[in-house]
Amino acid sequence: YCNLFVVKKLIGFITVAFLMVMMACNNNCYVPTRALLGVAFMDSAQLKPVTVKQLTIKGEGNDSILYNASSEQSVFLPLHQNQTVTRFEMSFLRHKEDTVPTAYTLEVKHQPYPQLISEECGCVMFHSIDTATCYNAQESLRVEIYSTNVINVEGDVQLKISL
């Protein structure tokens, strides 16, 4: 009878310990752990946000499509965490009367640096923008660096591309 009591106590203790360990492993991070580059499209004549149509964006040398034939006023793009240059292949309808999207390369030169958020969340890679250009063989679009710091604030815009 005594051994059965000890075994039940031991099983109860192990169960409680297991549940405590599982609860401790729960990720209680409520802060974005990814810093994305915010890019807004602007009407160069009216200096207002403009929606680009049939927008497709993918990282250069990467098969993953980040935006696919969508209509957007702004986009949020991941920068390389261990390199100082990130390029994106993008295409969109440049003018209202266009029927075929025009292709551009968005090139961002940046300095990545780690930032500790907290013990629960770990680190996030922030970036400091040096330069940004948007071009193709025929033209370059004006790119304004609105803010040089790419941090983990959702919806924050760093670049404005004038169309």
Side-chain angles (χ1 to χ4, degrees):
Y1 174 76
C2 187
N3 285 339
L4 183 60
F5 179 73
V6 171
V7 169
K8 283 184 178 181
K9 280 266 200 197
L10 186 60
I11 290 173
F13 175 76
I14 291 173
T15 303
V16 169
F18 177 75
L19 289 173
M20 288 177 66
V21 167
M22 292 306 291
M23 287 176 22
C25 291
N26 187 9
N27 187 357
N28 291 326
C29 185
Y30 301 106
V31 178
T33 56
R34 192 111 197 245
L36 298 176
L37 172 70
V39 180
F41 298 97
M42 305 296 288
D43 182 316
S44 59
Q46 298 179 2
L47 301 176
K48 292 183 179 178
V50 64
T51 300
V52 294
K53 305 227 186 292
Q54 293 188 27
L55 174 66
T56 300
I57 302 177
K58 70 177 195 166
E60 188 176 83
N62 189 337
D63 290 339
S64 297
I65 295 177
L66 302 169
Y67 290 85
N68 189 17
S70 61
S71 295
E72 306 287 342
Q73 283 187 344
S74 56
V75 294
F76 300 92
L77 307 169
L79 295 172
H80 287 301
Q81 296 192 17
N82 56 359
Q83 296 177 17
T84 58
V85 178
T86 303
R87 290 182 190 87
F88 298 96
E89 298 169 5
M90 52 194 295
S91 63
F92 53 88
L93 297 179
R94 175 80 166 86
H95 304 284
K96 290 180 182 177
E97 62 274 1
D98 289 348
T99 57
V100 176
T102 304
Y104 293 92
T105 298
L106 174 61
E107 179 180 281
V108 181
K109 294 183 180 178
H110 55 92
Q111 300 300 319
Y113 59 95
Q115 181 69 41
L116 176 66
I117 297 175
S118 68
E119 191 175 317
E120 296 85 18
C121 297
C123 286
V124 64
M125 192 64 74
F126 287 176
H127 303 270
S128 178
I129 299 173
D130 297 324
T131 62
T133 54
C134 189
Y135 58 88
N136 62 21
Q138 289 78 35
E139 67 176 332
S140 291
L141 300 177
R142 183 174 174 269
V143 179
E144 174 190 351
I145 299 176
Y146 183 70
S147 171
T148 59
N149 296 313
V150 180
I151 59 175
N152 63 332
V153 175
E154 289 184 11
D156 205 13
V157 170
Q158 289 79 29
L159 303 181
K160 293 182 178 180
I161 298 177
S162 295
L163 304 176

